[in-house]
Each structure stands twice: as C-alpha cells, then as structure tokens.
C-alpha cells in the first residue's frame, strides 16, 4: 500500500514495510539478489579507500550473508537497504543503520555508492530519506555517523543534512597535524535534520 508523504518531505511515498521512494530513488531492504552489488562495493579499492581495506570476494560474501540475515530479523541490530535509481531501475548503492546494545533510540548510519552514482547529489537524497524514515518509523531519536577525515565529500553532505560534529578529545595541535587522517564523528537528532 503506497502512502504519500508531505511535499516538504524527502520521502515521496512509503510502499510497504521498510520500502520507500524519493524523487529519484527506490530504497528497499537488501535481498539475496543484491549479492553482486555488495561484492562490487566492498571489493572495490577506490570505493573502500576511506572506509577500510577492500574485502576479498569470500569476505564480502560472508559479510553479505550476515547483513541479509540481520535485516530479516524482527529487531535487527543492523539493517541494510539497497538504493535503486528510478530512472533506469539499476542498483547504485547500499546504506544502513546499526544499533549498538539494546537501546533502540540511537543508531549509526552509513552509505556506499557505486562510482557511477558520484556527483549527482544522491547521498544527500538517499541518506536524508533514510534519516527521515528512521525518525518517523523506527523511533530513532539520534543518528550517529563516523567517517575518515580525508573524506571531504562525506563531510560536505552530512553537514547539509544537519549533522553536528562532536569535539575531538585530543589537543588542537594534534588535530592540525593529523586532520587529514583522523576519523570524524557527528550526530543528528530530529531537530537538527534539514529537509
């Protein structure tokens, strides 16, 4: 059953449980058919450069199965969504939420896109919609994000979405020397979120 959301919303409609659309994207839970996309993302050296070492195909397959199994649970500790372009019905990335502990009001968010999706403002659209969905349907009140200090594109788009950066617990002198390599931590609460 499709439900149309307000005109101010990034989410255009909610089709059913955990499936929603934006102006240009269909966002749905990960399924078995998404294994190749998962491999593509997690084994690509350029995509993984600001995340971790690229995985082997075997490692990516194990991680995919864990992600798929977690997403299917009633109260998952992790949920992953595939981001599909409505223009050509092609999967272009994966995003997800991870809950730590039993507390379900906070989650960590992440996104990975294929290189062909870069430069089109798709991270803002996809992650913004997932944030809105998390606040309204998953009862999350705080969303955390962590990324490499070298990843300036991520820093720009999380700022656009209203994330607030946490102050590092190290001296300013150290920050200046290592600012390109330190992880950055930020959070967004419903009142920070920007449409």
């Amino acid at each position: 059953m499709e439900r149309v959301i307000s005109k101010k919303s990034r989410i255009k409609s909610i089709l059913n449980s955990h499936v929603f659309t934006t102006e240009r994207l269909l966002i749905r839970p990960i399924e078995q058919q998404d294994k190749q996309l998962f491999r593509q993302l997690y084994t690509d050296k350029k995509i993984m450069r600001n995340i971790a070492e690229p995985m082997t195909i075997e490692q990516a397959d194990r991680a995919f199965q864990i992600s798929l199994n977690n997403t299917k649970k009633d109260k998952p500790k992790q949920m992953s969504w595939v981001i599909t372009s409505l223009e050509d019905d092609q999967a272009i990335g994966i995003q997800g939420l991870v809950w730590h502990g039993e507390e379900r009001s906070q989650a960590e968010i992440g996104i990975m896109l294929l290189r062909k999706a870069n430069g089109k403002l798709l991270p803002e659209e996809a992650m913004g919609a997932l944030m809105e969905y998390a606040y309204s349907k998953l009862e999350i009140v705080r969303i955390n994000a962590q990324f490499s200090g070298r990843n300036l594109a991520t820093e720009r788009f999380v700022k656009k979405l209203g994330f607030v950066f946490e102050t590092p617990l190290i001296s300013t002198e150290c920050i200046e020397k290592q600012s390109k390599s330190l992880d950055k931590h930020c959070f967004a609460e419903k009142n920070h979120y920007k449409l």
Side-chain angles (χ1 to χ4, degrees), residues 34-182:
D34 303 312
K35 189 175 190 175
Q36 186 58 39
L37 171 66
F38 200 92
R39 278 182 180 174
Q40 255 184 293
L41 291 165
Y42 283 91
T43 61
D44 186 299
K45 189 174 183 173
K46 191 167 183 179
I47 292 171
M48 294 294 291
R49 74 185 178 278
N50 289 318
I51 302 168
E53 286 296 314
M55 293 181 177
T56 64
I57 290 174
E58 295 77 21
Q59 290 170 326
D61 287 351
R62 279 193 302 276
F64 172 78
Q65 199 58 51
I66 290 167
S67 183
L68 182 64
N69 292 343
N70 280 329
T71 297
K72 291 179 178 180
K73 292 179 180 177
D74 285 337
K75 279 195 163 186
K77 291 186 187 263
Q78 168 196 345
M79 284 190 74
S80 299
W81 285 266
V82 169
I83 305 162
T84 302
S85 167
L86 289 173
E87 181 181 0
D88 60 9
D89 200 34
Q90 295 295 306
I92 58 167
I94 294 172
Q95 63 183 345
L97 294 169
V98 176
W99 289 265
H100 299 286
E102 295 302 312
E103 177 61 46
R104 305 278 307 165
S105 65
Q106 289 190 46
E108 188 168 336
I109 197 166
I111 187 169
M112 295 175 71
L113 296 176
L114 294 173
R115 287 187 259 161
K116 70 180 183 179
N118 291 341
K120 300 174 184 173
L121 302 177
L122 293 172
E124 295 90 332
E125 187 172 335
M127 190 181 279
L130 180 55
M131 290 170 66
E132 190 174 328
Y133 184 79
Y135 293 138
S136 65
K137 298 295 177 193
L138 302 177
E139 300 177 2
I140 291 175
V141 296
R142 179 177 166 133
I143 297 174
N144 301 299
Q146 176 179 318
F147 57 93
S148 168
R150 296 183 311 253
N151 196 337
L152 299 178
T154 297
E155 183 171 353
R156 279 191 298 273
F157 88 75
V158 296
K159 282 181 180 177
K160 284 183 191 176
L161 292 172
F163 277 83
V164 175
F165 285 80
E166 296 175 337
T167 307
L169 300 175
I170 58 176
S171 74
T172 306
E173 188 177 298
C174 291
I175 293 170
E176 289 171 3
K177 289 179 183 175
Q178 299 176 359
S179 65
K180 298 287 187 200
S181 62
L182 291 175

